[in-house]
Amino acid sequence: MKIIMLGAPGAGKGTQAKMIAEKYSIPHVSTGDIFRANIKNGTQLGMEAKQYMDQGLLVPDELTVKILLDRVANEDCKNGYVLDGFPRTIPQAEVLDKALSELGDQIDYAINVDVPDENIVKRMGGRRACLSCGATYHIEHVPPKSEGICDSCGQELVLRDDDKPETVQNRLNVYHEQTQPLIEFYSAKGVLKTVDGTMDMKEVFEAIVTILS
Ligand code: ADP
Ligand code: ADP
Ligand code: ZN
């Protein structure tokens, strides 16, 4: 099963993608997590990506497409995967589509997690991230057991640089301009499913499971 998560930054794509990955035993592939891991390890790719990410801009397609195609070519992806944060532009979607069709394959579901901008701005300020293991929390909705510390790995949680309010607005603008057109792209392919992302995260997950089964 090959699934794409669509939605604004902060809509809950990552939260849902992790639950889907666990339930269906497929890898959760997040381009944002791959970039953050590279930044943390000080790689060339990380240094290039950071310049864009800190401004709330997209990392150029050339860089992004290559790392994604390498990742999904990995053995663990052969029975499917859930993509979180990719594609984010029409050209990225076209490259993925082409790579899959060359293998006689295609995306099964594009799940659009729909959340209005007003809710997004509130959510992002409360998001806390573990840059070590990729776990995500929310100070009100998903607090860690011990304040500021990751439940899974014990590392310190941070407010991501790009989750500061001034950058969130840029990211929303970028989303509407460059990523939202993908809703039409996957709708035309007949694989788009929309869920109401303002519900409680368990309810959102139930709606997704109903679609997938
Ligand atoms: P995305 O991957 O789309 O950027 P996340 O999954 O990281 O979004 O979620 C953004 C923030 O909102 C996180 O702090 C997360 O814990 C919280 N969150 C996710 N889903 C919900 C929900 N349904 N209701 C309230 N908060 C949520
Ligand atoms: P969120 O879902 O909260 O927006 P992500 O972790 O998916 O956050 O992405 C963080 C940043 O990483 C994006 O704002 C962008 O700069 C970069 N990024 C991630 N995925 C892509 C992509 N597919 N194309 C271009 N840039 C990307
Ligand atoms: Zn952690």
Side-chain angles (χ1 to χ4, degrees):
M1 190 153 55
K2 298 189 173 64
I3 303 168
I4 286 174
M5 304 303 292
L6 294 177
K13 300 180 299 294
T15 300
Q16 298 300 325
K18 284 172 197 160
M19 292 195 268
I20 295 169
E22 191 178 292
K23 182 171 170 72
Y24 296 96
S25 304
I26 49 177
H28 164 220
V29 175
S30 156
T31 38
D33 283 352
I34 296 174
F35 288 137
R36 281 184 290 277
N38 275 274
I39 292 172
K40 190 160 177 272
N41 295 328
T43 70
Q44 178 67 34
L45 170 70
M47 288 190 290
E48 280 184 56
K50 188 173 172 20
Q51 298 170 12
Y52 299 95
M53 290 169 74
D54 282 352
Q55 298 177 66
L57 301 173
L58 295 183
V59 178
D61 287 344
E62 304 81 73
L63 283 178
T64 309
V65 160
K66 191 182 173 315
I67 61 154
L68 188 278
L69 292 182
D70 283 353
R71 177 66 189 88
V72 298
N74 215 293
E75 179 65 19
D76 66 334
C77 286
K78 73 175 192 306
N79 293 325
Y81 42 75
V82 49
L83 298 186
D84 163 20
F86 187 98
R88 257 183 160 96
T89 64
I90 294 280
Q92 289 180 13
E94 286 170 340
V95 172
L96 176 64
D97 205 45
K98 184 160 171 284
L100 286 172
S101 62
E102 280 166 6
L103 302 167
D105 208 347
Q106 59 172 36
I107 291 298
D108 300 300
Y109 299 97
I111 297 176
N112 176 31
V113 184
D114 189 29
V115 177
D117 287 11
E118 310 84 84
N119 303 39
I120 296 286
V121 178
K122 279 192 221 137
R123 266 194 206 177
M124 300 295 252
R127 172 156 69 179
R128 294 293 179 274
C130 173
L131 298 181
S132 244
C133 75
T136 306
Y137 301 85
H138 191 280
I139 51 176
E140 283 166 39
H141 308 296
V142 197
K145 292 198 181 76
S146 154
E147 196 186 318
I149 304 291
C150 179
D151 292 350
S152 319
C153 76
Q155 295 293 309
E156 204 178 330
L157 300 176
V158 297
L159 173 67
R160 275 165 43 182
D161 286 339
D162 60 343
D163 279 352
K164 307 209 163 115
E166 53 286 13
T167 314
V168 169
Q169 192 52 57
N170 285 344
R171 290 166 66 197
L172 279 171
N173 296 343
V174 166
Y175 168 75
H176 290 301
E177 275 169 34
Q178 302 195 59
T179 308
Q180 209 170 347
L182 292 175
I183 293 176
E184 188 47 44
F185 181 92
Y186 286 107
S187 173
K189 291 190 176 295
V191 296
L192 185 81
K193 304 283 176 187
T194 297
V195 294
D196 176 1
T198 64
M199 301 184 294
D200 179 275
M201 54 189 80
K202 287 204 189 75
E203 293 172 316
V204 179
F205 187 57
E206 280 166 23
I208 293 175
V209 170
T210 304
I211 290 165
L212 301 181
S213 28

